[in-house]
């Protein structure tokens, strides 16, 4: 049985809209606030390489104390780590750039958890543009994979956070890292380069809307999450669009395309930059994180996927970072996929909890990869295809399935015509229209 929603998207939208209007407002509302704290009034100087960390922190603390707004004017300001208390409102004007130091020691102890902006046990925070947060590709010698540096923004046990209309670029590690946090709105944000765009671990009620995410690693990642919506986003990566574990995921009106505009950072270090986008969606439940939740109740609808290696990948037995918890119910609806290099592949758990539905979907393999099935699935509960077009070279079946309970095929077309388009073995029940 599919898990029942305990939180509707209509309620979430209302709450996040109220939060944004009540606490953060727009730049016009900011101009009407009583207390504006301009960082230059606290000693920050633009367009030099002198650290402005203390000046920024003084402005942040003063504004949070009095319920005001920190304003960053046009210019480039260099800092180390900044800490955001409850009630922080950071506004970056057009042309304002907060640039992280290139010296990892300015962020902390050279640990994986270091970040340019940090909020812990805080709430009612907003960071809004149209300015830029620049991680300067800062590296930590001997860090993860030998070089990964500080994250751009890190939130730990935070609530009611809005990040809106800023550009986050050249992050030394993740652009936005969230742990044990809830009620986030990430809207109109441009992600450029760096590693993961949004990485959420054990988080709830996140909305990522109208964002343009172009990264050198996964665009959205993490596991043990609940109630996520991603809408009207541009998603381009040299790794994966989603490497995610989540219960109740809604993705709609998004565009996925490859190759990645920013090479995969690890391959750059190895001297062989790679830009192919590996997958639009990958199940993520790494055993070493001891995940508590499966991936369940996913609805992916009204999206286009172009020139990506794979649409969806899941292997519960041997998949990299996929074996800690199973995937369960996944629906693709109104999806157009073209220039795909590999089949949709899913190997579920032995209890056959994985159900896959494709409804009003077309998937066309690339010409140089067309001599293979379009969909391969094993150890599943129910496979349902309705109004589906699967295109390969015609030399192989478009569907290969085994060890499942039910298959339902309704108006499924193989292109080109194939005398044996569907092959299955050890499936208990099959219905075809």
């Amino acid at each position: 049985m599919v898990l029942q929603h305990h939180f509707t998207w209509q309620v979430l939208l209302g709450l996040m809209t109220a939060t944004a209007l009540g606490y953060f407002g727009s730049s016009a509302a900011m101009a009407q606030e009583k207390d504006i704290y301009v960082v230059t009034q606290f000693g920050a100087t633009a367009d030099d390489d002198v650290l402005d960390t203390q000046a920024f922190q003084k402005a942040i603390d003063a504004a949070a104390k009095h319920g005001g707004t920190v304003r960053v004017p046009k210019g480039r300001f260099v800092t180390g780590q900044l800490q955001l208390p409850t009630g922080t409102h950071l506004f970056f004007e057009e042309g304002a750039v907060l640039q992280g130091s290139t010296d990892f020691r300015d962020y902390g102890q050279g640990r994986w958890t270091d970040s340019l902006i940090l909020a812990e046990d805080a709430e009612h925070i907003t960071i809004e543009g149209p300015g830029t947060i620049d991680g300067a590709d800062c590296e930590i010698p001997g860090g993860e994979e030998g070089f990964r540096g500080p994250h751009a923004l890190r939130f730990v046990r935070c609530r009611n956070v809005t990040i809106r209309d800023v550009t986050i670029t050249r992050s030394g590690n993740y652009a936005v890292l969230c742990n044990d946090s809830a009620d986030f709105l990430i809207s109109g944000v441009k992600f450029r380069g760096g590693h993961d765009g949004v990485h959420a671990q054990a988080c709830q009620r996140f909305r990522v809307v109208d964002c343009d995410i172009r990264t050198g690693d996964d665009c959205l990642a993490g596991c043990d999450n609940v109630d996520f919506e991603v809408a009207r986003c541009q998603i381009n990566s040299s790794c994966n669009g989603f490497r995610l574990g989540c219960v109740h995921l809604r993705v709609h009106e998004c565009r996925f395309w490859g190759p990645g505009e920013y090479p995969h950072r690890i391959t750059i270090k190895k001297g062989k930059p790679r830009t192919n986008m590996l997958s639009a969606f990958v199940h993520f439940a790494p055993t070493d994180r001891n995940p508590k939740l499966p991936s369940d109740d996913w609805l992916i609808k009204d999206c286009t996927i172009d020139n990506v290696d794979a649409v969806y990948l899941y292997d519960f037995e041997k998949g990299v970072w996929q074996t800690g918890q199973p995937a369960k119910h996944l629906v693709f609806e109104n999806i157009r996929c073209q220039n795909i290099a590999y089949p949709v592949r899913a190997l579920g758990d032995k209890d056959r909890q994985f159900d896959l539905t494709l409804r009003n979907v077309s998937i066309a393999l690339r010409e140089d990869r067309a001599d293979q099935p379009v969909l391969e699935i094993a150890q599943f509960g129910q496979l349902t295809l309705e109004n589906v077009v699967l295109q390969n070279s015609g030399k192989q079946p478009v569907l290969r399935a085994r060890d499942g309970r039910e298959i339902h095929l309704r108006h499924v077309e193989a292109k080109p015509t194939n005398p044996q388009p569907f092959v299955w073995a050890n499936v208990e029940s099959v219905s075809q229209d």
Side-chain angles (χ1 to χ4, degrees):
M1 178 180 293
V2 177
L3 296 177
Q4 296 296 312
H5 280 282
H6 57 276
F7 194 94
T8 68
W9 292 110
Q10 291 83 358
V11 172
L12 176 60
L13 177 61
L15 286 175
M16 295 305 295
T17 301
T19 298
L21 292 175
Y23 286 102
F24 310 126
S26 65
S27 57
M30 183 210 72
Q32 299 174 5
E33 290 189 33
K34 178 180 179 181
D35 297 310
I36 304 295
Y37 296 81
V38 184
V39 294
T40 51
Q41 296 174 344
F42 289 80
T45 57
D47 303 320
D48 61 24
D49 293 322
V50 177
L51 287 182
D52 293 314
T53 310
Q54 291 186 358
F56 265 70
Q57 194 63 58
K58 287 178 181 178
I60 289 168
D61 293 343
K65 181 178 180 180
H66 298 287
T69 295
V70 177
R71 189 170 69 192
V72 183
K74 181 178 180 180
R76 181 178 63 89
F77 300 88
V78 180
T79 76
Q81 185 179 84
L82 303 173
Q83 299 188 19
L84 307 187
T86 288
T88 298
H89 183 180
L90 268 174
F91 178 78
F92 294 89
E93 293 183 357
E94 181 74 44
V97 179
L98 172 62
Q99 180 177 305
S101 169
T102 56
D103 188 339
F104 72 93
R105 292 168 294 188
D106 293 325
Y107 300 87
Q109 302 299 316
R111 298 171 180 169
W112 187 87
T113 53
D114 289 348
S115 60
L116 174 56
I117 293 176
L118 172 66
E120 294 182 288
D121 299 301
E123 58 185 29
H124 304 316
I125 291 173
T126 187
I127 299 170
E128 64 177 330
T132 296
I133 299 170
D134 182 354
D137 285 331
C138 181
E139 298 183 1
I140 299 175
E144 183 186 3
E145 293 162 333
F147 72 97
R148 287 207 196 204
H151 310 286
L153 289 75
R154 181 169 177 251
F155 299 89
V156 183
R157 297 179 300 278
C158 291
R159 299 289 185 273
N160 298 315
V161 173
T162 291
I163 306 168
R164 179 171 50 218
D165 298 333
V166 295
T167 295
I168 306 174
T169 185
R170 299 198 301 166
S171 178
N173 206 335
Y174 303 156
V176 179
L177 171 60
C178 303
N179 299 92
D180 302 303
S181 296
D183 301 312
F184 271 57
L185 173 62
I186 302 174
S187 175
V189 176
K190 294 180 181 179
F191 297 81
R192 295 292 185 267
H195 296 262
D196 290 3
V198 178
H199 194 109
Q201 183 68 32
C203 293
Q204 300 179 37
R205 298 182 299 279
F206 269 49
R207 294 188 69 234
V208 181
V209 298
D210 301 312
C211 291
D212 190 332
I213 310 174
R214 309 183 192 193
T215 68
D217 210 321
D218 304 322
C219 291
L220 297 104
C223 66
D224 270 348
N225 300 301
V226 179
D227 286 321
F228 273 42
E229 180 189 18
V230 181
R232 300 180 302 279
C233 289
Q234 306 295 313
I235 297 174
N236 173 263
S237 167
S238 292
C239 205
N240 301 287
F242 286 68
R243 190 198 293 265
L244 195 67
C246 186
V247 177
H248 310 317
L249 172 68
R250 296 293 178 266
V251 179
H252 57 95
E253 300 168 85
C254 291
R255 174 193 172 214
F256 298 74
W257 81 99
E261 295 185 8
Y262 296 88
H264 190 226
R265 291 289 301 278
I266 298 171
T267 63
I268 294 174
K269 288 297 181 180
K270 292 180 178 179
K272 296 180 179 180
R274 180 185 60 72
T275 59
N276 58 304
M277 188 167 174
L278 301 180
S279 184
F281 296 90
V282 177
H283 172 59
F284 186 64
T287 303
D288 60 1
R289 291 194 188 184
N290 191 29
K292 305 297 189 298
L293 300 176
S295 284
D296 198 6
D297 185 25
W298 284 25
L299 175 59
I300 318 300
K301 65 181 298 185
D302 303 324
C303 295
T304 61
I305 302 172
D306 185 18
N307 202 20
V308 174
D309 285 1
V311 175
Y312 177 74
L313 297 174
Y314 167 44
D315 183 341
F316 188 68
E317 292 184 354
K318 298 180 181 178
V320 177
W321 299 321
Q322 295 189 329
T323 59
Q325 287 285 345
K328 293 188 176 181
H329 302 88
L330 169 62
V331 176
F332 285 96
E333 184 174 307
N334 301 329
I335 307 294
R336 299 293 174 264
C337 311
Q338 60 183 1
N339 300 313
I340 305 301
Y342 301 108
V344 174
R345 286 196 175 107
L347 174 63
D349 62 290
K350 292 183 178 180
D351 291 333
R352 298 189 289 186
Q353 298 180 79
F354 182 69
D355 294 341
L356 174 63
T357 298
L358 305 184
R359 183 180 298 116
N360 301 325
V361 170
S362 66
I363 304 174
L365 298 183
R366 276 178 11 199
E367 288 186 7
D368 63 334
R369 299 291 185 131
D371 292 342
Q372 58 183 332
V374 182
L375 170 58
E376 294 186 324
I377 185 170
Q379 294 184 181
F380 59 95
Q382 181 171 292
L383 172 65
T384 301
L385 308 184
E386 300 177 357
N387 299 320
V388 171
V389 178
L390 303 177
Q391 181 174 340
N392 62 6
S393 68
K395 296 179 180 179
Q396 294 284 338
V398 292
L399 166 64
R400 180 175 289 138
R402 64 175 175 84
D403 302 328
R405 290 196 175 93
E406 301 176 24
I407 294 178
H408 302 279
L409 304 179
R410 301 184 183 95
H411 305 292
V412 181
E413 180 182 359
K415 285 189 174 182
T417 301
N418 188 320
Q420 191 177 24
F422 316 124
V423 175
W424 50 78
N426 194 28
V427 176
E428 295 173 12
S429 172
V430 178
S431 64
Q432 288 183 263
D433 292 340

